[in-house]
């Protein structure tokens, strides 16, 4: 998704999340069951609340991992990683898809849990958390219209990168899902231009809600070396 972006005072920033992309180093042509893993590692790089965890909603972001058994289109097909490019020639590339998908929440409830949203908690100690997209040969070429597997050559290198349009979150809050957020209802409201009126403190307290923080106050930085991950085709 393309996140709403607007100017905020840098002094109001609440934290920065560092993100790194790595891939399976080698993909063997001879193995029909070979998988390409795209692993995203993320951590709190800086924060205004030292040692405190925070939780982000990953829906429609580069961090959302789809279960093939659930159906639907994965984030790769929506453009979260762009195309796979040969490191020597941009003319040799593989499309993973780039479709615009209108998502429909499974509930009108203000509680993001009821809507089926997915979350990741980042520890306050700055340790890394990983999420992995795994794709096989069939998925790699599912939407590619020119190249096929037999066009690949042993020794050929390909690169992948994070599409910054999908790097971020539309909702986050302080706390961890298994700690202070356990049993809490996660309200969809968060500060932003043209936001609905903020729920009252009494409502939040009595109904056991947690409100979101302003998404633009949490920065995401692509810390991938040279901004790309490279894998090699082998026999």
């Amino acid at each position: 998704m393309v996140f709403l972006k607007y100017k905020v005072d840098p002094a109001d920033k609440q934290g920065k999340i560092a993100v790194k992309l790595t891939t399976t180093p080698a993909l063997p042509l001879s193995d029909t069951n070979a998988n390409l893993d795209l692993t995203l590692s993320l951590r709190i790089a800086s924060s205004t609340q030292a040692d405190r965890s925070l939780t982000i909603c990953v829906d429609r972001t580069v961090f959302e991992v789809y279960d093939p058994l659930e159906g639907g289109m994965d984030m790769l097909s929506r453009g979260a990683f762009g195309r796979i490019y040969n490191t020597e020639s941009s003319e040799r590339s593989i499309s993973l898809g780039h479709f615009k998908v209108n998502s429909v929440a499974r509930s009108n409830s203000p509680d993001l849990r009821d809507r089926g949203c997915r979350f990741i908690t980042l520890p306050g100690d700055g340790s890394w958390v990983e999420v992995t997209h795994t794709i096989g040969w069939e998925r790699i070429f599912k939407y590619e219209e020119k190249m096929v597997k037999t066009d690949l050559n042993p020794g050929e290198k390909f690169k992948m990168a994070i599409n910054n349009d999908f790097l971020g979150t539309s909702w986050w809050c302080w706390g961890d899902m298994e700690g202070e957020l356990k049993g809490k209802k996660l309200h969809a409201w968060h500060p932003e231009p043209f936001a609905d009126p903020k729920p009252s403190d009494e409502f939040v307290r009595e109904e056991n809600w947690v409100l979101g923080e302003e998404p633009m106050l949490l920065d995401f930085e692509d810390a991938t070396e040279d901004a790309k991950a490279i894998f090699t085709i082998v026999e």
Side-chain angles (χ1 to χ4, degrees), residues 30-221:
S30 59
D31 186 353
T32 57
N33 296 315
N35 288 319
L36 178 64
D37 287 342
L38 286 67
T39 299
L40 293 159
S41 304
L42 57 163
R43 63 182 287 270
I44 299 174
S46 63
S47 169
T48 58
Q49 299 197 27
D51 302 323
R52 192 176 184 190
S53 300
L54 62 83
T55 294
I56 63 173
C57 176
V58 300
D59 284 41
R60 295 174 292 164
T61 74
V62 72
F63 308 113
E64 184 174 12
V65 177
Y66 272 62
D67 182 345
L69 298 179
E70 294 180 4
M73 303 190 77
D74 59 28
M75 294 310 299
L76 288 80
S77 64
R78 303 184 190 203
F81 295 93
R83 299 176 71 93
I84 302 175
Y85 284 99
N86 181 283
T87 58
E88 300 296 328
S89 172
S90 60
E91 294 183 359
R92 285 180 62 77
S93 66
I94 302 169
S95 171
L96 295 171
H98 199 160
F99 302 96
K100 183 177 181 180
V101 179
N102 294 320
S103 301
V104 179
R106 69 186 188 191
S107 169
N108 291 325
S109 168
D111 189 347
L112 296 179
R113 296 181 195 264
D114 291 343
R115 295 185 185 184
C117 293
R118 308 180 191 199
F119 303 89
I120 293 176
T121 289
L122 304 180
D125 62 7
S127 54
W128 294 93
V129 174
E130 293 186 348
V131 295
T132 300
H133 301 267
T134 299
I135 55 176
W137 286 117
E138 181 180 358
R139 174 61 189 88
I140 290 172
F141 287 98
K142 184 175 183 179
Y143 300 113
E144 172 54 36
E145 297 179 346
K146 296 181 179 179
M147 289 185 65
V148 294
K149 181 184 173 184
T150 53
D151 290 326
L152 301 178
N153 302 309
E156 197 170 10
K157 295 181 183 293
F158 286 87
K159 60 185 178 181
M160 300 188 68
I162 297 170
N163 182 342
N164 285 328
D165 285 343
F166 292 82
L167 184 60
T169 184
S170 59
W171 190 97
W172 72 280
C173 70
W174 296 105
D176 64 280
M177 295 296 280
E178 297 302 320
E180 58 189 291
L181 300 179
K182 192 172 185 178
K184 296 277 190 178
K185 294 186 287 186
L186 306 181
H187 202 289
W189 187 90
H190 58 75
E192 68 174 355
F194 313 112
D196 291 333
K198 181 180 179 181
S200 69
D201 292 342
E202 181 181 8
F203 170 78
V204 171
R205 181 177 61 256
E206 292 183 354
E207 298 293 329
N208 203 28
W209 286 104
V210 172
L211 303 181
E213 301 287 340
E214 190 167 0
M216 278 294 293
L217 299 185
L218 187 64
D219 286 338
F220 286 76
E221 177 184 48

